[in-house]
Amino acid sequence: MKLRIRRISCHLCLAAAFFLAASARTTIARSDDIGPPKGSQTGQSRPAEAAASHPESGNQFQLRSGDRVVLIGSTLIERDQMYGYLETALTTRFYDRNITFRNLGWSGDTVWGDGWAMFGSPADGFRDRLKNVVAMKPTVIVLGFGTNESFAGKPALPHFVEGLNTLLDALAKTGARIVIFSPTREENLGRPLPDPAPQNERLAIYTDAMRQVAKQRGYRFVDLFTDLIPERMPPGYTPLTDDEMHLTEHGYQRLAEVVDTDLFGPRPAGPTLKPDELEALRHWINKKNELSFHRWRPENFTYLYLFRAHEQPGTAAETPDFEPLVLQAEAEIAKGRQPRGREH
């Protein structure tokens, strides 16, 4: 897991970028019948229909027994699986319900699928990402985009909104309830790091646009830009990023608290886990995420599925062997989430 963290973090290294590309392709065969809806514009012709299908206003949003939650997005989403705090928070809140999570985040991704493109085009990446999501039969989809796109500034905002709506149009065909995360504010850690104010202005504009899209479609929206990193740091504040932009482990712990509260409100009184039991549960969640990562995004992908597959014939058939290991980890999660009758 630590090796993968280093691989994700060193995105400025060209060699690492090619390694990420070679190791980050879906294991499901490409299909030309899945992709951005042809002729799709902004998706605003169906907001009333979406709202009627999935009314998620106020704190009505819930996770139900049998839900399959799939997360897609860029670095914010991908790195969340390394710490497991968000999944742990949602698992313990709904400890009496069988809910599974799959993280398909990919550092550097955009609404157009740039992160998944590898040696192809963003359209190829869009198709492959969508095919993975569909294959997991989601009932809830969490999206976390906008950070990378925001660097293009206000002039590119209409293009981003169109791309976001095109993606949401495609995901709506799954019938899943959809939750949209905004980008996070950049944290002002002082010099020699750059002043984050100009980028935060861009992020605020993109966050507001995402909020409006979510409202038009009747989807739940979590404003991480406003609720996670404060605009002004209070005395004794502990930074949530290590470089103004990327969350630390403490940052992801705080993100889990914000999302849990924003989506579902204050936690009701009731049974809870001891700290050591909570950590044991998070351990199994992290282990499951690691195994799942290797299942759908194995290393040496070029040798397994692409133009060097002839050098290791038959090796690709081994990747499904991760499935029973994932299921074993999920069985441990199911046991570990039970609070055994203790009260707050």
Side-chain angles (χ1 to χ4, degrees), residues 5-197:
I5 294 172
R6 295 193 193 103
R7 184 166 73 245
I8 293 169
S9 300
C10 63
H11 58 280
L12 294 179
C13 172
L14 183 60
F18 276 100
F19 180 81
L20 264 175
S23 64
R25 180 83 165 219
T26 172
T27 60
I28 301 175
R30 175 177 294 174
S31 170
D32 291 332
D33 62 353
I34 293 184
K38 294 180 180 180
S40 174
Q41 298 299 317
T42 66
Q44 295 185 15
S45 61
R46 293 188 293 279
E49 176 185 342
S53 300
H54 300 299
E56 304 288 13
S57 61
N59 278 325
Q60 294 179 352
F61 190 84
Q62 294 285 312
L63 293 182
R64 308 162 185 164
S65 188
D67 268 339
R68 296 177 298 276
V69 182
V70 175
L71 298 93
I72 62 173
S74 55
T75 306
L76 179 73
I77 297 296
E78 182 187 46
R79 288 179 56 155
D80 178 72
Q81 67 187 300
M82 302 172 193
Y83 304 112
Y85 287 110
L86 177 58
E87 187 174 338
T88 300
L90 303 187
T91 298
T92 55
R93 177 182 277 268
F94 300 104
Y95 64 87
D96 59 339
R97 305 173 193 183
N98 185 30
I99 302 165
T100 58
F101 296 81
R102 293 292 184 270
N103 189 314
L104 297 183
W106 190 358
S107 292
D109 201 16
T110 66
V111 293
W112 303 288
D114 291 272
W116 291 68
M118 282 192 55
F119 301 106
S121 68
D124 295 327
F126 189 103
R127 265 196 307 272
D128 285 348
R129 180 179 60 196
L130 181 60
K131 192 161 183 68
N132 267 267
V133 172
V134 171
M136 293 183 178
K137 297 180 173 60
T139 61
V140 177
I141 299 174
V142 177
L143 292 85
F145 292 101
T147 298
N148 298 312
E149 299 90 333
S150 69
F151 285 101
K154 189 173 182 178
L157 185 63
H159 180 50
F160 167 70
V161 171
E162 180 180 0
L164 176 60
N165 274 302
T166 297
L167 174 58
L168 291 171
D169 284 345
L171 295 175
K173 296 177 182 179
T174 67
R177 290 121 58 209
I178 293 178
V179 179
I180 300 175
F181 287 3
S182 81
T184 61
R185 184 192 306 275
E186 287 203 358
E187 198 170 43
N188 190 350
L189 298 180
R191 306 311 138 244
L193 293 172
D195 181 2

Side-chain angles (χ1 to χ4, degrees), residues 279-292:
E279 275 304 296
L281 174 63
R282 191 168 69 91
H283 162 79
W284 280 110
I285 286 173
N286 290 341
K287 184 65 176 177
K288 180 267 300 179
N289 284 334
E290 181 179 10
L291 293 167
S292 178

